[in-house]
Amino acid sequence: MRLQEGDIAVSLGTSDTVFVWLQQPRPALEGHVFCNPVDQEAYMGLLCFKNGSLTRERVRNECAGGSWEVFSSFLRDTPLGNHGNIGFYFDTMEITPPAVGVHRFDRDDNKVSSVCPQAEVKALVEGQFLSRRLHAERLGYKIIPGTRVLATGGASSNKDILQVLSDVFNAPVFTIDVSNSSCLGSAYRALHGLVAESGVSFSEAVRNAPEPQLAVTPNPAAQELLQNRQRNDPIG
């Protein structure tokens, strides 16, 4: 995905995986910190979430009649913040954090057993991406001016899902035309390996590669809503 400082890559597949460029990492029990493969002065954070697209598909089947079109309309038609409803959906034992079960909360932070289908869909997707951002920030990731979210994986073809991702991270979301980004990345690294001995940096080696395409931009009201939520949430 050719990350730069401030970028975050989100792979939306069977499991959701998050990669972040870190300058000052904060190692934690949840997540991993590696040497940055393209910059010896930086680090790379990796987070894996087991309940990704399969959980989204399960909620789609139960709440949207198995239709991604209906699922997307629920995301579009339900306002930012979902009237205060939020949920954490761990159909199987999660990796980040180690937890299981479905946990729904209303605007007063009371646990509830169910919500309407529209609120369920929005609670799922907002809850997933809020978790991605929270755990990334715990590893030391910071959103800075110019931050881009680079999305790949099967769900990255759904612009309404990407819109929620953009709103949660308050950053534009970009995608690439190649569906198998891991193979493309291997080719980029091989190219860099051929020229690295001559002092060519990774960014210079792939400077002629196609740029990612802008998919969505954040709703201007999203950041204010997140700040209000954080002020009212003792967990942060």
Side-chain angles (χ1 to χ4, degrees):
M1 300 296 287
R2 297 189 293 138
L3 271 70
Q4 304 168 10
E5 184 178 354
D7 288 346
I8 180 167
V10 182
S11 177
L12 301 171
T14 302
S15 297
D16 287 352
T17 309
V18 171
F19 299 88
V20 290
W21 184 294
L22 299 174
Q23 291 298 130
Q24 296 179 314
R26 296 198 299 264
L29 294 178
E30 295 173 358
H32 310 273
V33 175
F34 299 98
C35 296
N36 189 308
V38 297
D39 186 337
Q40 63 181 358
E41 301 298 326
Y43 301 85
M44 180 185 78
L46 182 151
L47 293 155
C48 189
F49 303 85
K50 190 172 184 179
N51 293 274
S53 282
L54 293 183
T55 304
R56 289 187 286 269
E57 288 176 10
R58 193 265 300 169
V59 173
R60 176 205 64 182
N61 293 340
E62 294 181 1
C63 297
S67 167
W68 283 120
E69 187 174 328
V70 174
F71 185 96
S72 295
S73 71
F74 287 170
L75 290 177
R76 289 194 302 271
D77 297 340
T78 307
L80 285 167
N82 199 19
H83 302 294
N85 295 298
I86 190 67
F88 306 96
Y89 298 76
F90 309 129
D91 290 355
T92 59
M93 177 59 71
E94 184 52 83
I95 299 169
T96 313
V100 69
V102 175
H103 311 276
R104 305 177 186 87
F105 298 87
D106 64 16
R107 64 184 305 162
D108 298 315
D109 289 333
N110 297 314
K111 193 168 186 178
V112 295
S113 59
S114 63
V115 293
C116 69
Q118 292 90 336
E120 184 94 293
V121 168
K122 195 66 171 265
L124 163 69
V125 180
E126 283 191 338
Q128 285 183 325
F129 293 153
L130 284 167
S131 176
R132 312 309 182 244
R133 176 171 174 172
L134 171 65
H135 286 283
E137 290 178 339
R138 284 180 173 175
L139 281 184
Y141 173 71
K142 295 180 180 179
I143 296 173
I144 62 175
T147 283
R148 303 177 302 170
V149 180
L150 305 172
T152 187
S156 66
S157 63
N158 185 316
K159 282 201 172 184
D160 296 294
I161 290 177
L162 295 185
Q163 184 63 60
V164 179
L165 179 63
S166 178
D167 292 340
V168 167
F169 280 88
N170 193 39
V173 174
F174 293 79
T175 59
I176 60 175
D177 292 334
V178 178
S179 59
N180 198 332
S181 53
S182 59
C183 287
L184 178 61
S186 297
Y188 287 156
R189 295 292 285 123
L191 174 63
H192 183 220
L194 288 173
V195 298
E197 287 189 1
S198 59
V200 176
S201 68
F202 178 77
S203 60
E204 291 172 329
V206 297
R207 67 182 182 276
N208 293 324
E211 289 297 321
Q213 300 300 306
L214 178 64
V216 293
T217 56
N219 187 310
Q223 182 64 12
E224 181 181 355
L225 184 66
L226 280 169
Q227 290 172 343
N228 291 337
R229 181 75 181 181
Q230 289 170 341
R231 282 194 293 267
N232 295 328
D233 185 354
I235 299 177

